[in-house]
Amino acid sequence: MQKLIITAALTGAEVTREQQPALPFTPEEIAIAAEECVQAGAAMVHVHARNADGSSTQDTESYRKIIAAVRKRCDVIVQVSTGGAVGMTAAERIAPLALKPEMATLSMGSVNFGGDVFMNHPADMEVFLRAMQEQGVKPEFEIFDTGMLTSIKRWLKKALISSPLHVDFVLGVPGGMAGTPQALMYLIEQLPSGASWTVAGIGAAQLPLGVMAIVLGGHVRVGFEDNVYYRKGELASSNAQLVARVARISRELDRPVATPNEARAILGINTKTAYLA
Ligand code: KMH
Ligand code: ZN
């Protein structure tokens, strides 16, 4: 089994300080959180940019500051969001790819998202994909429901993408696929051969689905973007606290945790073309 890649989704676009007072907003806060998560066992951080007032932005300069601040503190794979926040245009969302980040998310379809709709038009998805390919950015395909995995297979058939693929099952979004063991098992069975996968369980699904991934050979995403609690009724004190628990459980189960460089090798990230400033 591959070593476990732990991703820390530090900030997200929709979570507020009212929900989680320790939510990192500024580039420096995000960089400090990233460093703590690396020390706790994370190999990757998934980042979203915020304005000073906490509102979400896909502004290139904001992402440049985040990447630079993180790089100053630690070595970690920085995965930028192209999902942005619900309601943003595709043109806004694509902006951070100009920085040639090591990795970026690519949502594979539209999904109801609580009271909103997270729109991903097929034509926009192809634009995101082409931009990533041109910039040498490794995509992480975000799967919120089964049809999105079918879309990956369609792209494979059309030779728009090739192995090695990496997907992230985001399970438990209200409107998306449930955060249940059955849902995860079903998705794993549908995976294109050779693809690696991460699971991001939303809310209370984060820990149980993460433990399943450790046992089944997948990888794990935790962090405030998906879940602000350590356990029922108790807020997590930091993103790193959530990372540390997953690392601890994985080591107990005799599955070592990947360093950032080991994760790059597992994912096939091209370190020569990636932005490492
Ligand atoms: N904020 C969500 C609507 C991503 O980062 O690519 C989309 C999202 C996915 O967070
Ligand atoms: Zn995100």
Side-chain angles (χ1 to χ4, degrees):
M1 221 182 255
Q2 292 165 333
K3 289 189 178 180
L4 180 78
I5 301 171
I6 304 176
T7 301
L10 301 172
T11 302
E14 284 82 18
V15 184
T16 66
R17 281 256 168 90
E18 285 68 45
Q19 294 167 313
Q20 173 45 269
L23 191 68
F25 276 170
T26 66
E28 192 54 21
E29 288 167 353
I30 290 172
I32 291 168
E35 187 177 28
E36 291 170 356
C37 286
V38 169
Q39 285 164 359
M44 190 188 320
V45 288
H46 168 71
V47 296
H48 285 254
R50 300 285 185 114
N51 296 308
D53 64 0
S55 58
S56 288
T57 176
Q58 287 293 101
D59 171 53
T60 310
E61 284 315 304
S62 304
Y63 276 93
R64 191 193 304 278
K65 285 180 190 154
I66 291 171
I67 296 173
V70 172
R71 290 268 171 267
K72 240 190 213 167
R73 286 186 171 270
C74 58
D75 177 37
V76 65
I77 300 169
V78 180
Q79 179 195 78
V80 305
S81 170
T82 66
V86 160
M88 286 179 172
T89 64
E92 279 179 88
R93 286 165 47 185
I94 205 169
L97 294 183
L99 299 169
K100 297 185 191 291
E102 282 190 270
M103 212 171 177
T105 52
L106 204 175
S107 291
M108 287 306 295
S110 302
V111 63
N112 286 350
F113 204 89
D116 293 299
V117 182
F118 179 38
M119 279 291 293
N120 290 286
H121 191 286
D124 292 333
M125 287 156 44
E126 288 201 24
V127 171
F128 287 139
L129 177 68
R130 270 198 300 279
M132 289 185 205
Q133 289 170 337
E134 279 164 21
Q135 304 280 34
V137 179
K138 169 88 181 177
E140 178 179 89
F141 298 102
E142 306 297 300
I143 304 297
F144 296 81
D145 217 327
T146 46
M148 301 188 192
L149 207 42
T150 315
S151 296
I152 290 189
K153 289 181 179 167
R154 204 173 299 121
W155 277 5
L156 272 171
K157 211 167 174 185
K158 286 165 71 180
L160 292 181
I161 52 175
S162 55
S163 292
L165 300 181
H166 182 69
V167 309
D168 179 28
F169 299 127
V170 186
L171 301 183
V173 169
M177 207 161 169
T180 59
Q182 291 83 355
L184 179 60
M185 293 309 297
Y186 178 78
L187 289 168
I188 294 167
E189 283 163 20
Q190 313 302 314
L191 264 180
S193 68
S196 55
W197 59 276
T198 292
V199 68
I202 303 299
Q206 187 166 86
L207 182 59
L209 294 186
V211 173
M212 283 182 71
I214 295 170
V215 175
L216 294 168
H219 304 282
V220 180
R221 176 170 121 173
V222 292
F224 290 164
E225 173 164 346
D226 305 327
N227 165 45
V228 297
Y229 290 99
Y230 189 71
R231 58 172 69 87
K232 191 173 163 63
E234 182 185 324
L235 285 174
S237 57
S238 64
N239 279 291
Q241 188 191 24
L242 297 168
V243 171
R245 175 167 58 183
V246 169
R248 205 163 54 235
I249 293 169
S250 192
R251 291 189 185 110
E252 282 292 323
L253 290 167
D254 265 343
R255 183 156 177 215
V257 170
T259 64
N261 271 337
E262 287 168 341
R264 288 180 180 108
I266 291 168
L267 296 169
I269 288 178
N270 186 345
T271 49
K272 289 204 180 70
T273 58
Y275 171 87
L276 294 166

